[in-house]
Amino acid sequence: MRLDIYLVYLLLRLFGLLPLRWLQGFGALLGRLALRRGGKMARYTAVNLQIVQPQLDEKARSGLVREALVEGGKSITEIVKIWGAGAESALGLVREVRGEALFEQALASGKGVIIAAPHLGCWELLNYWLCYKTPMAILYRPPRIAAVEALLRKVRGALAPEQVRAEGAGVRALYKRLAAGGTVGILPDQKPRQGEGEFAPFFGREAMTMVLLPRLAARTGATVLFAFAERLPRGEGYRIHFLPAPEGLDDADLPRACAALNRGVESCVKLAFAQYQWHYKRYSADDRPSPY
């Protein structure tokens, strides 16, 4: 590990001693500052919420933008606690698990499990919880700074998932794991690369949507569950949710399957609306005009 990355690790360990409530409070302040500055994060959030909540008046939408930015700020600073305190300690922040029986039944079936985890709440804590229950591989794109991978392995420790790159060999590894009854995790709302997606409705407007997850489900017969870790108020911890996949997600017809995939994400988002990563350019596409 590079010296500068190791120093970052030491700082994470130090500040990870702080109460979650303090860290999230600082994050909320960052979110308010982002709103005041009116930069890209605030602009993209406002555009997205205009698209998904067109019925709201200006006052109500402005309040929702503020709430979303506050939660977005919390998602940045709370990671200090999740990474810095250590994986086992972070698991102590889980106060409740809803739908856990769905997960246990899926594991027991031996058919393989695909966890669709949207950009919602604290997905890093969800990773810890899942890896505590069963070995898991996650599909990911390498960070721009290669040395950050060493930091991630260090902070995750024994509860680190196997990281599989989103490319040919990595995708084949996912198929093999599922065929053997294993578990994989995928971000279902990650914008796919050119030629690797289909347009499908997401909160009433078409968005480029990945086809990999529906194909994995169709070809392996694995059980798909949606999951996220909801941030509880006042730094009280987290509530993990598991939801069943909508009908049609494993359909051979990709537009229908992708529409079902997006409905699954929507079902999660509606349970913790402001905690979704609304500053993500979800509706951008290479061959269509961007709303941003």
Side-chain angles (χ1 to χ4, degrees):
M1 182 183 292
R2 279 177 11 190
L3 178 60
D4 55 344
I5 298 297
Y6 186 70
L7 290 176
V8 171
Y9 169 72
L10 292 179
L11 287 173
L12 284 171
R13 294 292 290 178
L14 177 62
F15 287 105
L17 298 173
L18 294 174
L20 179 63
R21 185 172 184 176
W22 292 11
L23 292 167
Q24 288 183 343
F26 181 60
L29 176 61
L30 292 180
R32 294 187 185 98
L33 289 175
L35 179 64
R36 181 171 295 184
R37 287 182 64 250
K40 289 182 179 180
M41 186 174 179
R43 187 169 73 253
Y44 296 163
T45 300
V47 170
N48 282 329
L49 292 179
Q50 169 68 42
I51 291 171
V52 304
Q53 296 281 16
Q55 77 284 359
L56 296 181
D57 59 32
E58 190 62 32
K59 182 178 179 180
R61 189 177 299 111
S62 295
L64 191 55
V65 169
R66 184 183 306 109
E67 187 180 358
L69 288 172
V70 163
E71 293 297 329
K74 291 179 183 179
S75 73
I76 295 170
T77 56
E78 71 188 0
I79 206 67
V80 173
K81 187 71 173 179
I82 304 305
W83 284 350
E88 291 78 6
S89 178
L91 284 175
L93 297 170
V94 177
R95 308 302 181 203
E96 181 185 3
V97 180
R98 294 185 177 177
E100 185 173 4
L102 292 173
F103 180 63
E104 293 175 345
Q105 291 165 8
L107 285 180
S109 73
K111 297 179 180 179
V113 184
I114 301 173
I115 299 296
H119 290 87
L120 177 66
C122 185
W123 51 88
E124 188 67 23
L125 181 63
L126 176 66
N127 275 344
Y128 284 166
W129 191 92
L130 290 167
C131 290
Y132 178 74
K133 294 291 184 178
T134 185
M136 185 177 73
I138 60 172
L139 188 70
Y140 87 114
R141 291 177 183 171
R144 293 178 181 177
I145 303 174
V148 172
E149 288 199 50
L151 175 64
L152 292 177
R153 288 194 297 270
K154 182 74 171 175
V155 298
R156 288 168 173 168
L159 294 183
E162 178 187 350
Q163 296 187 148
V164 176
R165 297 197 178 201
E167 53 192 28
V171 172
R172 288 192 293 273
L174 294 184
Y175 277 106
K176 290 179 181 178
R177 179 177 285 264
L178 290 172
T183 301
V184 304
I186 299 178
L187 295 167
D189 49 353
Q190 188 86 40
K191 192 178 80 170
R193 295 171 179 165
Q194 183 85 16
E196 297 179 357
E198 291 276 348
F199 281 101
F202 181 62
F203 282 103
R205 177 171 177 146
E206 286 199 334
M208 181 57 69
T209 304
M210 69 158 56
V211 298
L212 175 59
L213 196 155
R215 281 175 172 166
L216 281 171
R219 295 179 186 178
T220 66
T223 301
V224 180
L225 296 176
F226 285 78
F228 70 98
E230 177 188 4
R231 188 177 303 114
L232 298 177
R234 297 177 295 280
E236 293 175 358
Y238 302 87
R239 176 186 296 121
I240 290 177
H241 297 261
F242 287 96
L243 288 76
E247 183 179 354
L249 193 148
D250 58 353
D251 199 288
D253 180 71
L254 285 176
R256 183 170 185 265
C258 289
L261 179 65
N262 284 346
R263 288 198 303 275
V265 176
E266 290 174 8
S267 295
C268 293
V269 172
K270 289 173 183 177
L271 295 175
F273 192 85
Q275 294 184 28
Y276 189 63
Q277 189 175 288
W278 289 114
H279 57 273
Y280 183 55
K281 295 169 70 175
R282 185 67 183 88
Y283 294 101
S284 62
D286 294 333
D287 56 349
R288 295 192 181 187
S290 171
Y292 306 102

